[in-house]
Amino acid sequence: MSVSKEFAQYVTRLTYAELPQEVVAFAKICILDWLGSALAGSSKAPIHMLAQVAQELGGSEQATLVTGGRSSVTHAALVNGASSHIVELDDIHKASIIHAGTVVIPAALAVAEWKQKSGRELIEAIVAGYEVCYRIGEAVSPSHYYFWHNTATCGTFGAAVAASKLLGQREEQIVHTLGSAGTQAAGLWEFIEDGAMSKQLHPGKAAMNGILAALLAEKGFTGASRILEGKRGFVRAMSQEVDPEQMTQGLGTTHKIMENSFKIHASCRHTHHAIDLIVAMMAEHGVSWQKVERVRVRTYQVALTITDNPDPGSVYAAKFSLQYCVALALVKGSAGLHDFTEEALYDPVIREVMRRVEVCVDPDIDARYPRKWEAAAELDLADGTTICQHAEYPKGDPENPVTHGQIVQKFRTLALDQPKDTIEHYLQMIDELEHVPDVAMFFAQMKGRGRA
Amino acid sequence: MSVSKEFAQYVTRLTYAELPQEVVAFAKICILDWLGSALAGSSKAPIHMLAQVAQELGGSEQATLVTGGRSSVTHAALVNGASSHIVELDDIHKASIIHAGTVVIPAALAVAEWKQKSGRELIEAIVAGYEVCYRIGEAVSPSHYYFWHNTATCGTFGAAVAASKLLGQREEQIVHTLGSAGTQAAGLWEFIEDGAMSKQLHPGKAAMNGILAALLAEKGFTGASRILEGKRGFVRAMSQEVDPEQMTQGLGTTHKIMENSFKIHASCRHTHHAIDLIVAMMAEHGVSWQKVERVRVRTYQVALTITDNPDPGSVYAAKFSLQYCVALALVKGSAGLHDFTEEALYDPVIREVMRRVEVCVDPDIDARYPRKWEAAAELDLADGTTICQHAEYPKGDPENPVTHGQIVQKFRTLALDQPKDTIEHYLQMIDELEHVPDVAMFFAQMKGRGRA
């Protein structure tokens, strides 16, 4: 049986009724965490640019844009997907290196709003979308990740699955949906060299492409039946040495959404372990940045490939600079959304402290990646002593979890620009999601109803 | 200087006034040839499916769909791009293995119609779009082509360039347009195993993505500055051993659109040399299919990778079966649009004749691919004689050209379903294109004006 067929069977068989209560609760946390990021991003310039293009192109009033107004489901997915990725606080799955929320949730929410699906159907779709894209991402990682932005490429399958579940597609249709999704999968890491806005385009476009694939299958449009494992398919074209069977091993018995990690720091996930260590070591040892003469961070190669940047030129680039993040954590004691500012970017103290930071690869840590995203930090203090600490999992990983209350708190911070009653509406909607009869109520309080 | 920057300089500097007259004339033939294919495809089921999705999603009335009505430029490009590829009669460039017309022209035409550009501006944009995607395709071929559908992947850059030229973008904007285009580039060959409809989705989606990239750059959205040659860019991710300088060598001194080939037979280009040979040998030697006991076709590996199929299960698959095409040519003496029918698919005579056809790789021919798309055919006749012939270039290649009259004749055949005065309107519009002040007049006679 083809991988697509196995995924299609899994998707059609998945029912809300059979989901364990903790999976439902966890999915709701994912949605809340996603929404905070989407709202926080909605005022950013690149998101406005995308919304302007969506407005120019026009579209049926099917789904709400977090920037205001309604447009087609594809445009809503494009804008909302991009918006939820820009503040770099959306969820992440280590083993597949995928931010699933930023692709799967905007796709699911747009289709659910359009088709007036229930909260339970939305939860089903999101659980299914996470499962499929995580499994694909795990199978192709880490080789795929060198060139390809897994969130975009593998995420396309997740968005497609979520849409197909909400559209009630049959097995055969889902196979075609996956075929059309996979042949649209794209997103190269090259943008990172310039800190270009492709980082936001990728998840939005993946969500859009996933929906497009599902809508095409609705009309009878066919796609490759073995898009994943086929000899000229996704896996062979875009990664090395993959066992296709890995993708479906144990499928139906797992709820991989539970492996999701949440971000507390507002930077690239590959900097979080180091920030955690710095914050913890300073607190535990009562050390201030003035007393730290040298910082050595040892971690895995991919972390350095993406975040070894001793001179970030923008706030955005700073979130991808391990040296900057470590210095920020040393000086401010935190690295939240409101710590990354234009003022802090060239703050002479932070820039000076950055020069004390050394980063390198640790072969043992590297060997355990991507199963573990680890780091070790050593601080040489002015009194001649050195303190060392090692973190196996960044805060927010399932092995080092955050509480529901911390996610609610994070949401309130991210949604700060929203009216107070809108914030409470969202919190209540998500809290009671399994009892919501019509997801169109979700964005009922969004400003600027009508055409985007 | 980055490859994107060089391309951007070329695009901004290109002017209609400096185009040689033969380039203008040739570009008009490309447009006519494209339009015939687009109209012939517009009644096909997969194109209706795409048009239904476009209608469902809705869009501003910016550009005409060949299926009728108007929608956003992205939806027009999606539908018109797909429509012009489905009857497999659109143009092809050997060295880059790209059907540029089916991606570049629908993108250019949609933007030109929307922005009411002149015929001369449309010609400029198309010449620029062909130039850039051919150069990229040449550099990455043949390795890229094993997994990737060059028309879709490289074509995305061509569509983006055409749109950016029509939008009057500055150098820097074009660099961003190319960045956003390249990071959306997609299209895997896996669909060919099933004869799935991705073949049509690819050019439509590439045209759409190219426009989207240009529209984003209009708003200030940034993309990777070295999307082509960068260490995690298009070339390194999706092909092997490429010299990036090849892409821009002699740029500004060439008009690669002149290297375009046109198709007379309604099948995959990789079958044309063999069909030409069969038709010519039968005519020259006065042989009928009854007298042919055995046919051996020797050609290059890629032709067989794509068209070695002794048992096609659909009319569409038959166009990608070298054995079928050879048998069809033997029995019918031609392989035009009206020869590939449901009746002919399982015609017992053709199926019997197919069993006489052997196909294999010729190492010498293979070594010259993709510079030459060659084949040699040997016919063993019932009287014990064997006749052999070798074709260096299929009919319609620049080295074996068709006449303007043959393209007009082909257009009339493909546009058969259109009202007579509409056909004449199109012929006249394209004939006088350099004097047309507003390309919006192009589709003025299209049925079903108003929202798609």
PDB file of all heavy atoms in Angstrom, chain B residues 236-261:
ATOM      1  N   ARG B 236      21.799  24.603  -6.137  1.00  0.00           N
ATOM      2  CA  ARG B 236      22.439  23.580  -5.305  1.00  0.00           C
ATOM      3  C   ARG B 236      21.418  22.600  -4.743  1.00  0.00           C
ATOM      4  O   ARG B 236      21.695  21.419  -4.594  1.00  0.00           O
ATOM      5  CB  ARG B 236      23.229  24.224  -4.166  1.00  0.00           C
ATOM      6  CG  ARG B 236      24.507  24.888  -4.656  1.00  0.00           C
ATOM      7  CD  ARG B 236      25.557  24.936  -3.539  1.00  0.00           C
ATOM      8  NE  ARG B 236      26.847  25.361  -4.059  1.00  0.00           N
ATOM      9  CZ  ARG B 236      27.181  26.625  -4.308  1.00  0.00           C
ATOM     10  NH1 ARG B 236      26.315  27.596  -4.088  1.00  0.00           N
ATOM     11  NH2 ARG B 236      28.381  26.906  -4.774  1.00  0.00           N
ATOM     12  N   ALA B 237      20.234  23.092  -4.428  1.00  0.00           N
ATOM     13  CA  ALA B 237      19.220  22.211  -3.837  1.00  0.00           C
ATOM     14  C   ALA B 237      18.636  21.254  -4.860  1.00  0.00           C
ATOM     15  O   ALA B 237      18.262  20.134  -4.530  1.00  0.00           O
ATOM     16  CB  ALA B 237      18.099  23.040  -3.221  1.00  0.00           C
ATOM     17  N   MET B 238      18.573  21.683  -6.114  1.00  0.00           N
ATOM     18  CA  MET B 238      17.743  20.951  -7.066  1.00  0.00           C
ATOM     19  C   MET B 238      18.470  20.471  -8.313  1.00  0.00           C
ATOM     20  O   MET B 238      17.823  20.055  -9.274  1.00  0.00           O
ATOM     21  CB  MET B 238      16.541  21.836  -7.443  1.00  0.00           C
ATOM     22  CG  MET B 238      15.661  22.166  -6.226  1.00  0.00           C
ATOM     23  SD  MET B 238      14.560  23.594  -6.471  1.00  0.00           S
ATOM     24  CE  MET B 238      13.148  22.839  -7.290  1.00  0.00           C
ATOM     25  N   SER B 239      19.810  20.541  -8.308  1.00  0.00           N
ATOM     26  CA  SER B 239      20.536  19.985  -9.454  1.00  0.00           C
ATOM     27  C   SER B 239      21.951  19.648  -9.020  1.00  0.00           C
ATOM     28  O   SER B 239      22.324  19.867  -7.870  1.00  0.00           O
ATOM     29  CB  SER B 239      20.563  20.983 -10.612  1.00  0.00           C
ATOM     30  OG  SER B 239      21.307  22.120 -10.254  1.00  0.00           O
ATOM     31  N   GLN B 240      22.732  19.124  -9.944  1.00  0.00           N
ATOM     32  CA  GLN B 240      24.106  18.724  -9.626  1.00  0.00           C
ATOM     33  C   GLN B 240      25.087  19.518 -10.465  1.00  0.00           C
ATOM     34  O   GLN B 240      24.814  19.831 -11.613  1.00  0.00           O
ATOM     35  CB  GLN B 240      24.290  17.227  -9.919  1.00  0.00           C
ATOM     36  CG  GLN B 240      23.541  16.339  -8.941  1.00  0.00           C
ATOM     37  CD  GLN B 240      23.318  14.952  -9.493  1.00  0.00           C
ATOM     38  OE1 GLN B 240      23.918  14.582 -10.478  1.00  0.00           O
ATOM     39  NE2 GLN B 240      22.431  14.209  -8.861  1.00  0.00           N
ATOM     40  N   GLU B 241      26.257  19.793  -9.913  1.00  0.00           N
ATOM     41  CA  GLU B 241      27.401  20.333 -10.649  1.00  0.00           C
ATOM     42  C   GLU B 241      27.023  21.381 -11.695  1.00  0.00           C
ATOM     43  O   GLU B 241      27.025  21.112 -12.888  1.00  0.00           O
ATOM     44  CB  GLU B 241      28.148  19.205 -11.353  1.00  0.00           C
ATOM     45  CG  GLU B 241      28.851  18.298 -10.377  1.00  0.00           C
ATOM     46  CD  GLU B 241      29.220  16.978 -11.037  1.00  0.00           C
ATOM     47  OE1 GLU B 241      29.627  17.014 -12.203  1.00  0.00           O
ATOM     48  OE2 GLU B 241      29.094  15.937 -10.381  1.00  0.00           O
ATOM     49  N   VAL B 242      26.700  22.538 -11.238  1.00  0.00           N
ATOM     50  CA  VAL B 242      26.320  23.610 -12.144  1.00  0.00           C
ATOM     51  C   VAL B 242      27.306  24.761 -11.998  1.00  0.00           C
ATOM     52  O   VAL B 242      27.721  25.093 -10.890  1.00  0.00           O
ATOM     53  CB  VAL B 242      24.898  24.106 -11.806  1.00  0.00           C
ATOM     54  CG1 VAL B 242      24.591  25.405 -12.531  1.00  0.00           C
ATOM     55  CG2 VAL B 242      23.879  23.036 -12.142  1.00  0.00           C
ATOM     56  N   ASP B 243      27.701  25.337 -13.109  1.00  0.00           N
ATOM     57  CA  ASP B 243      28.516  26.544 -13.081  1.00  0.00           C
ATOM     58  C   ASP B 243      27.568  27.742 -13.141  1.00  0.00           C
ATOM     59  O   ASP B 243      26.989  28.020 -14.191  1.00  0.00           O
ATOM     60  CB  ASP B 243      29.465  26.555 -14.280  1.00  0.00           C
ATOM     61  CG  ASP B 243      30.187  27.885 -14.399  1.00  0.00           C
ATOM     62  OD1 ASP B 243      30.136  28.675 -13.443  1.00  0.00           O
ATOM     63  OD2 ASP B 243      30.786  28.122 -15.459  1.00  0.00           O
ATOM     64  N   PRO B 244      27.401  28.461 -12.024  1.00  0.00           N
ATOM     65  CA  PRO B 244      26.407  29.545 -12.013  1.00  0.00           C
ATOM     66  C   PRO B 244      26.669  30.605 -13.084  1.00  0.00           C
ATOM     67  O   PRO B 244      25.735  31.221 -13.581  1.00  0.00           O
ATOM     68  CB  PRO B 244      26.547  30.151 -10.616  1.00  0.00           C
ATOM     69  CG  PRO B 244      27.219  29.121  -9.790  1.00  0.00           C
ATOM     70  CD  PRO B 244      28.081  28.340 -10.722  1.00  0.00           C
ATOM     71  N   GLU B 245      27.952  30.776 -13.455  1.00  0.00           N
ATOM     72  CA  GLU B 245      28.263  31.814 -14.451  1.00  0.00           C
ATOM     73  C   GLU B 245      27.637  31.519 -15.811  1.00  0.00           C
ATOM     74  O   GLU B 245      27.397  32.429 -16.600  1.00  0.00           O
ATOM     75  CB  GLU B 245      29.778  31.974 -14.590  1.00  0.00           C
ATOM     76  CG  GLU B 245      30.355  32.680 -13.380  1.00  0.00           C
ATOM     77  CD  GLU B 245      31.834  32.963 -13.526  1.00  0.00           C
ATOM     78  OE1 GLU B 245      32.345  32.923 -14.658  1.00  0.00           O
ATOM     79  OE2 GLU B 245      32.466  33.210 -12.487  1.00  0.00           O
ATOM     80  N   GLN B 246      27.406  30.238 -16.051  1.00  0.00           N
ATOM     81  CA  GLN B 246      26.789  29.852 -17.322  1.00  0.00           C
ATOM     82  C   GLN B 246      25.449  30.571 -17.519  1.00  0.00           C
ATOM     83  O   GLN B 246      25.068  30.909 -18.640  1.00  0.00           O
ATOM     84  CB  GLN B 246      26.581  28.329 -17.322  1.00  0.00           C
ATOM     85  CG  GLN B 246      26.141  27.772 -18.668  1.00  0.00           C
ATOM     86  CD  GLN B 246      25.646  26.334 -18.551  1.00  0.00           C
ATOM     87  OE1 GLN B 246      26.009  25.613 -17.622  1.00  0.00           O
ATOM     88  NE2 GLN B 246      24.807  25.924 -19.492  1.00  0.00           N
ATOM     89  N   MET B 247      24.759  30.824 -16.414  1.00  0.00           N
ATOM     90  CA  MET B 247      23.413  31.401 -16.520  1.00  0.00           C
ATOM     91  C   MET B 247      23.405  32.785 -17.150  1.00  0.00           C
ATOM     92  O   MET B 247      22.433  33.175 -17.777  1.00  0.00           O
ATOM     93  CB  MET B 247      22.754  31.450 -15.134  1.00  0.00           C
ATOM     94  CG  MET B 247      22.284  30.083 -14.667  1.00  0.00           C
ATOM     95  SD  MET B 247      21.320  30.131 -13.140  1.00  0.00           S
ATOM     96  CE  MET B 247      22.609  29.949 -11.925  1.00  0.00           C
ATOM     97  N   THR B 248      24.504  33.522 -16.946  1.00  0.00           N
ATOM     98  CA  THR B 248      24.486  34.913 -17.409  1.00  0.00           C
ATOM     99  C   THR B 248      25.514  35.192 -18.511  1.00  0.00           C
ATOM    100  O   THR B 248      25.654  36.338 -18.928  1.00  0.00           O
ATOM    101  CB  THR B 248      24.743  35.860 -16.219  1.00  0.00           C
ATOM    102  OG1 THR B 248      25.918  35.425 -15.531  1.00  0.00           O
ATOM    103  CG2 THR B 248      23.572  35.867 -15.262  1.00  0.00           C
ATOM    104  N   GLN B 249      26.205  34.144 -18.964  1.00  0.00           N
ATOM    105  CA  GLN B 249      27.202  34.336 -20.022  1.00  0.00           C
ATOM    106  C   GLN B 249      26.561  34.908 -21.298  1.00  0.00           C
ATOM    107  O   GLN B 249      25.653  34.306 -21.853  1.00  0.00           O
ATOM    108  CB  GLN B 249      27.852  33.002 -20.370  1.00  0.00           C
ATOM    109  CG  GLN B 249      29.357  33.036 -20.378  1.00  0.00           C
ATOM    110  CD  GLN B 249      29.929  31.657 -20.100  1.00  0.00           C
ATOM    111  OE1 GLN B 249      29.362  30.663 -20.547  1.00  0.00           O
ATOM    112  NE2 GLN B 249      31.025  31.592 -19.360  1.00  0.00           N
ATOM    113  N   GLY B 250      27.054  36.057 -21.732  1.00  0.00           N
ATOM    114  CA  GLY B 250      26.529  36.645 -22.973  1.00  0.00           C
ATOM    115  C   GLY B 250      25.154  37.269 -22.818  1.00  0.00           C
ATOM    116  O   GLY B 250      24.526  37.648 -23.815  1.00  0.00           O
ATOM    117  N   LEU B 251      24.695  37.366 -21.581  1.00  0.00           N
ATOM    118  CA  LEU B 251      23.351  37.940 -21.336  1.00  0.00           C
ATOM    119  C   LEU B 251      23.290  39.359 -21.892  1.00  0.00           C
ATOM    120  O   LEU B 251      24.200  40.161 -21.659  1.00  0.00           O
ATOM    121  CB  LEU B 251      23.077  37.951 -19.829  1.00  0.00           C
ATOM    122  CG  LEU B 251      21.704  38.436 -19.371  1.00  0.00           C
ATOM    123  CD1 LEU B 251      20.592  37.512 -19.861  1.00  0.00           C
ATOM    124  CD2 LEU B 251      21.649  38.528 -17.840  1.00  0.00           C
ATOM    125  N   GLY B 252      22.227  39.674 -22.634  1.00  0.00           N
ATOM    126  CA  GLY B 252      22.095  40.990 -23.242  1.00  0.00           C
ATOM    127  C   GLY B 252      22.470  40.968 -24.719  1.00  0.00           C
ATOM    128  O   GLY B 252      22.081  41.852 -25.473  1.00  0.00           O
ATOM    129  N   THR B 253      23.228  39.933 -25.100  1.00  0.00           N
ATOM    130  CA  THR B 253      23.622  39.840 -26.516  1.00  0.00           C
ATOM    131  C   THR B 253      22.812  38.769 -27.249  1.00  0.00           C
ATOM    132  O   THR B 253      22.909  38.657 -28.466  1.00  0.00           O
ATOM    133  CB  THR B 253      25.122  39.485 -26.650  1.00  0.00           C
ATOM    134  OG1 THR B 253      25.321  38.171 -26.103  1.00  0.00           O
ATOM    135  CG2 THR B 253      25.984  40.474 -25.886  1.00  0.00           C
ATOM    136  N   THR B 254      22.045  37.989 -26.484  1.00  0.00           N
ATOM    137  CA  THR B 254      21.296  36.878 -27.103  1.00  0.00           C
ATOM    138  C   THR B 254      19.799  37.130 -27.040  1.00  0.00           C
ATOM    139  O   THR B 254      19.329  37.944 -26.231  1.00  0.00           O
ATOM    140  CB  THR B 254      21.579  35.563 -26.338  1.00  0.00           C
ATOM    141  OG1 THR B 254      21.238  35.763 -24.952  1.00  0.00           O
ATOM    142  CG2 THR B 254      23.034  35.154 -26.451  1.00  0.00           C
ATOM    143  N   HIS B 255      19.060  36.448 -27.896  1.00  0.00           N
ATOM    144  CA  HIS B 255      17.603  36.412 -27.819  1.00  0.00           C
ATOM    145  C   HIS B 255      17.223  34.944 -27.899  1.00  0.00           C
ATOM    146  O   HIS B 255      16.927  34.424 -28.971  1.00  0.00           O
ATOM    147  CB  HIS B 255      16.976  37.230 -28.944  1.00  0.00           C
ATOM    148  CG  HIS B 255      17.318  38.683 -28.877  1.00  0.00           C
ATOM    149  ND1 HIS B 255      16.883  39.502 -27.863  1.00  0.00           N
ATOM    150  CD2 HIS B 255      18.089  39.454 -29.676  1.00  0.00           C
ATOM    151  CE1 HIS B 255      17.357  40.728 -28.044  1.00  0.00           C
ATOM    152  NE2 HIS B 255      18.091  40.734 -29.126  1.00  0.00           N
ATOM    153  N   LYS B 256      17.258  34.306 -26.759  1.00  0.00           N
ATOM    154  CA  LYS B 256      17.118  32.853 -26.744  1.00  0.00           C
ATOM    155  C   LYS B 256      15.723  32.388 -27.153  1.00  0.00           C
ATOM    156  O   LYS B 256      15.531  31.216 -27.480  1.00  0.00           O
ATOM    157  CB  LYS B 256      17.531  32.293 -25.381  1.00  0.00           C
ATOM    158  CG  LYS B 256      19.008  32.539 -25.092  1.00  0.00           C
ATOM    159  CD  LYS B 256      19.496  31.867 -23.849  1.00  0.00           C
ATOM    160  CE  LYS B 256      19.786  30.417 -24.067  1.00  0.00           C
ATOM    161  NZ  LYS B 256      20.995  30.173 -24.872  1.00  0.00           N
ATOM    162  N   ILE B 257      14.772  33.300 -27.153  1.00  0.00           N
ATOM    163  CA  ILE B 257      13.446  32.929 -27.625  1.00  0.00           C
ATOM    164  C   ILE B 257      13.530  32.362 -29.047  1.00  0.00           C
ATOM    165  O   ILE B 257      12.742  31.488 -29.422  1.00  0.00           O
ATOM    166  CB  ILE B 257      12.460  34.133 -27.540  1.00  0.00           C
ATOM    167  CG1 ILE B 257      11.018  33.674 -27.725  1.00  0.00           C
ATOM    168  CG2 ILE B 257      12.837  35.223 -28.531  1.00  0.00           C
ATOM    169  CD1 ILE B 257       9.980  34.766 -27.435  1.00  0.00           C
ATOM    170  N   MET B 258      14.535  32.826 -29.809  1.00  0.00           N
ATOM    171  CA  MET B 258      14.696  32.361 -31.195  1.00  0.00           C
ATOM    172  C   MET B 258      15.077  30.877 -31.274  1.00  0.00           C
ATOM    173  O   MET B 258      15.015  30.278 -32.340  1.00  0.00           O
ATOM    174  CB  MET B 258      15.783  33.183 -31.905  1.00  0.00           C
ATOM    175  CG  MET B 258      15.524  34.669 -31.992  1.00  0.00           C
ATOM    176  SD  MET B 258      14.126  35.084 -33.060  1.00  0.00           S
ATOM    177  CE  MET B 258      14.800  34.674 -34.676  1.00  0.00           C
ATOM    178  N   GLU B 259      15.509  30.311 -30.150  1.00  0.00           N
ATOM    179  CA  GLU B 259      15.870  28.880 -30.116  1.00  0.00           C
ATOM    180  C   GLU B 259      14.653  27.998 -29.848  1.00  0.00           C
ATOM    181  O   GLU B 259      14.778  26.781 -29.723  1.00  0.00           O
ATOM    182  CB  GLU B 259      16.911  28.629 -29.017  1.00  0.00           C
ATOM    183  CG  GLU B 259      18.207  29.376 -29.204  1.00  0.00           C
ATOM    184  CD  GLU B 259      19.108  29.275 -27.973  1.00  0.00           C
ATOM    185  OE1 GLU B 259      18.778  28.517 -27.029  1.00  0.00           O
ATOM    186  OE2 GLU B 259      20.132  29.979 -27.946  1.00  0.00           O
ATOM    187  N   ASN B 260      13.512  28.632 -29.737  1.00  0.00           N
ATOM    188  CA  ASN B 260      12.280  27.916 -29.411  1.00  0.00           C
ATOM    189  C   ASN B 260      11.897  26.909 -30.492  1.00  0.00           C
ATOM    190  O   ASN B 260      12.112  27.146 -31.666  1.00  0.00           O
ATOM    191  CB  ASN B 260      11.167  28.970 -29.302  1.00  0.00           C
ATOM    192  CG  ASN B 260      10.087  28.570 -28.353  1.00  0.00           C
ATOM    193  OD1 ASN B 260      10.360  27.928 -27.349  1.00  0.00           O
ATOM    194  ND2 ASN B 260       8.864  28.937 -28.659  1.00  0.00           N
ATOM    195  N   SER B 261      11.313  25.819 -30.065  1.00  0.00           N
ATOM    196  CA  SER B 261      10.789  24.827 -31.007  1.00  0.00           C
ATOM    197  C   SER B 261       9.273  24.780 -30.908  1.00  0.00           C
ATOM    198  O   SER B 261       8.714  24.986 -29.826  1.00  0.00           O
ATOM    199  CB  SER B 261      11.334  23.436 -30.670  1.00  0.00           C
ATOM    200  OG  SER B 261      12.725  23.402 -30.787  1.00  0.00           O
TER     201      SER B 261
END
